[in-house]
Every structure is written in structure tokens, then in C-alpha cells.
Amino acid sequence: MTVPFPHHAVRRLSKMRRTTLYTALSLLCCSVVMTALPAGASAATDPHTAASSTASRAAEAAVAFADEFDGPAGSAVDGGKWLTETGDNVNNHERQYYTAGNSNAALDGQGNLVITARKENPGNYQCWYGTCEYTSSRLNTSGKFTATYGHVESRMKIPRGQGIWPAFWMLGADIGDVGWPNSGEIDIMENVGFEPGTVHGTLHGPGYSGSGGIGAGYTLPGGAAFADDFHTFAVDWAPDSITWSVDGTVYQRRTPADLNGNAWVFDKPFFLILNLAVGGYWPGDPDGSTSFPQELVVDYVRVTTGD
């Protein structure tokens, strides 16, 4: 970690303002925004393909949650599936203000959800550093859907640029009772703009949070950038194991043996989160090379379970 203190822990303590009926829980889960740079994640582990296991799983899978984001262009996300969070993130020093409705998260009419980060402030929003400079969106399924185990997957095209920080991740649904990091956190995909060809997957829990999170990175071959095309990010989650993959290629598997004697807190319900942050301790702030708007385009989110 290159920041003066763990950015994950900082996030978990953030005080994001909320305008929903889930204020208390949202405050907690917004204090737990995404992952820290995993220890030892500068180089990806040697990948191996998992095509046969993927095909077998698909044949047996039962859909627990799916959003294909079909609907008219400009429509907001399905409120029966997603909670839209609002506010800034003071302690992690992110620069965006998360807006309500379809201002920064809308369907494109072609089967995608588009989360857009803009350099703007149409509502005169106030952030921890003064008048906010950017807007974006953050969605979660708290109070609407949780899962315990299964195959959790999203196909998406991530944005690019210094200071841009998309993520697809999960938090323990008991965070309101036990707090973070005891709730646990499973980061399925994070990318920071200064690493255009690398994504990270990480676990956070008691004794392995913040910059001490347990995880690894996956780097595309040939110098390719994730923003150039759609990619599929997934975890296969079972009792005492979580396995990460990109486009069906497995790049890490974690079990309780990896936690140095600390508690494994991943055998319970978790909810899903999608967000696009701007700035923060890990990615750094946008600079003159960063163009706006930037878009996180999500084809689908699916959770399936099998025998």
C-alpha cells in the first residue's frame, strides 16, 4: 500500500450521507467501500483455464439473482433489486458525490447498465473537501438480495484513466450488527486507472483488512487494457473456499489456510455492490490526462447456485 494508512479501513469508517430508508446500514456499508491494494498483488498468479468446470456448473446451476438490465434507454435500475446510495466519502478521500435516481446510473436501451462518472456538480453537492467536483453512482442489494455461496458473475466493460476506480464486490449482510471488517468483504473485481491491464480480487476480514487484505491481481496478456472490451469477472464461493476468475480463467483460490490463523467470515449471507469511484487514496486523484465522462458498462449481474 502506498498510502499513509489502509485505504480499506478508511473507507469502512467513511461517513457517506444517505437519503434512503436504509440510512443506518448504508452509512456502515459506505464506510466499507471496496478493497485495498492486495499484499503481494503486483504480479498475478499463474492462471489456468476452467472451461470444463464452468460448463458443468452452468448445466447444474439455478439462478438465485439476475439483472440483464433490459429496458428503455434512460431508465433507472430496478428498485426491487438495487438500492441507490447517495453522498460523498470523506475518510477515503474519494472525490465523487453519489447521486440518486438515473442521473449517473441508467439503462442504455441495449441491455446494459451504464454507471457514469462526470466532472460536474449540477446539484451544488457538498463533499468533504468543499464543493464536489464529480458525480457518479453506487448500487447495492442490501435488504433486497443476499447470497450464501454460489457463482457470482458480471460481464462489464470498465472505464479508464488516472483516478478512475470501478468495483464489483460483496459485504457481509450482518455489517450493521458486527461492523467492518468482522462482516467480511469479498472483492470480485477492482481496477485502478494507473493499472489499465490489471484487476484485483481480495478478501477482507478480522486481522486481514485494509492493506493487509488477502488477494492477488490478474493481468491481461500482451499489454491489453480492460477498458478496450467487455470481460467477465466471477467468484466461485463455497464453504471454506473462494475462487476468482476472469473470462473463465482462474487466477487465485483462497481458503482458511491462507488467513494466518484469523477467522474465516465467509460462511454467511452477503449482498452485492457495484460502484464507480473517482479519486481516493489508492488510485490517486484524476489529473490532466483523465477525460470525462467515464463509463462502467454492465451487461449483466448473475448469481447462480448448484448442487
Side-chain angles (χ1 to χ4, degrees):
M1 199 55 181
T2 58
V3 299
F5 45 87
H7 84 276
H8 241 64
V10 169
R11 282 190 155 123
R12 280 63 182 181
L13 296 174
S14 67
K15 300 175 181 176
M16 297 186 67
R17 304 178 187 95
R18 293 292 177 268
T19 59
T20 71
L21 295 177
Y22 294 90
T23 300
L25 180 56
S26 296
L27 282 167
L28 283 166
C29 63
C30 287
S31 66
V32 191
V33 180
M34 302 178 295
T35 67
L37 177 62
S42 58
T45 56
D46 291 336
H48 64 277
T49 49
S52 61
S53 63
T54 299
S56 175
R57 181 182 60 245
E60 301 176 358
V63 177
F65 176 93
D67 199 334
E68 306 297 324
F69 302 113
D70 294 322
S75 300
V77 293
D78 185 347
K81 296 179 178 179
W82 299 97
L83 172 68
T84 302
E85 303 181 25
T86 60
D88 67 345
N89 190 330
V90 53
N91 285 333
N92 194 50
H93 281 200
E94 295 170 16
R95 296 281 174 173
Q96 81 290 324
Y97 186 95
Y98 289 130
T99 66
N102 63 351
S103 297
N104 293 81
L107 307 185
D108 67 358
Q110 301 177 28
N112 301 306
L113 164 67
V114 181
I115 297 178
T116 305
R118 299 186 179 94
K119 189 173 184 178
E120 64 171 12
N121 189 347
N124 194 31
Y125 305 119
Q126 297 302 301
C127 288
W128 59 269
Y129 56 89
T131 301
C132 303
E133 299 172 352
Y134 307 92
T135 61
S136 190
S137 186
R138 174 169 156 158
L139 311 172
N140 73 58
T141 65
S142 173
K144 300 175 184 292
F145 170 78
T146 61
T148 306
Y149 313 132
H151 179 79
V152 185
E153 175 178 301
S154 181
R155 180 175 182 267
M156 60 181 70
K157 184 177 182 181
I158 70 170
R160 71 175 78 233
Q162 169 58 37
I164 304 300
W165 192 357
F168 174 43
W169 50 297
M170 297 189 287
L171 278 175
D174 60 353
I175 187 170
D177 297 321
V178 303
W180 187 91
N182 292 334
S183 61
E185 177 177 330
I186 304 169
D187 296 305
I188 303 167
M189 184 285 298
E190 284 188 282
N191 168 263
V192 285
F194 59 80
E195 295 179 328
T198 300
V199 294
H200 297 274
T202 316
L203 293 181
H204 295 267
Y208 49 101
S209 61
S211 60
I214 305 296
Y218 174 83
T219 300
L220 288 171
F226 276 100
D228 290 337
D229 204 351
F230 281 87
H231 294 274
T232 301
F233 306 98
V235 293
D236 285 285
W237 174 24
D240 291 339
S241 74
I242 300 174
T243 303
W244 283 257
S245 63
V246 175
D247 297 328
T249 297
V250 171
Y251 69 96
Q252 71 167 329
R253 179 175 182 267
R254 299 295 176 178
T255 71
D258 294 304
L259 305 186
N260 300 314
N262 292 304
W264 177 268
V265 290
F266 306 103
D267 296 321
K268 61 185 179 182
F270 277 64
F271 60 88
L272 309 175
I273 306 166
L274 278 170
N275 72 290
L276 175 54
V278 179
Y281 285 120
W282 184 15
D285 290 339
D287 61 19
S289 70
T290 312
S291 63
F292 287 92
Q294 288 293 327
E295 295 180 342
L296 172 61
V297 184
V298 186
D299 181 12
Y300 62 79
V301 174
R302 299 173 187 157
V303 180
T304 54
T305 59
D307 296 334

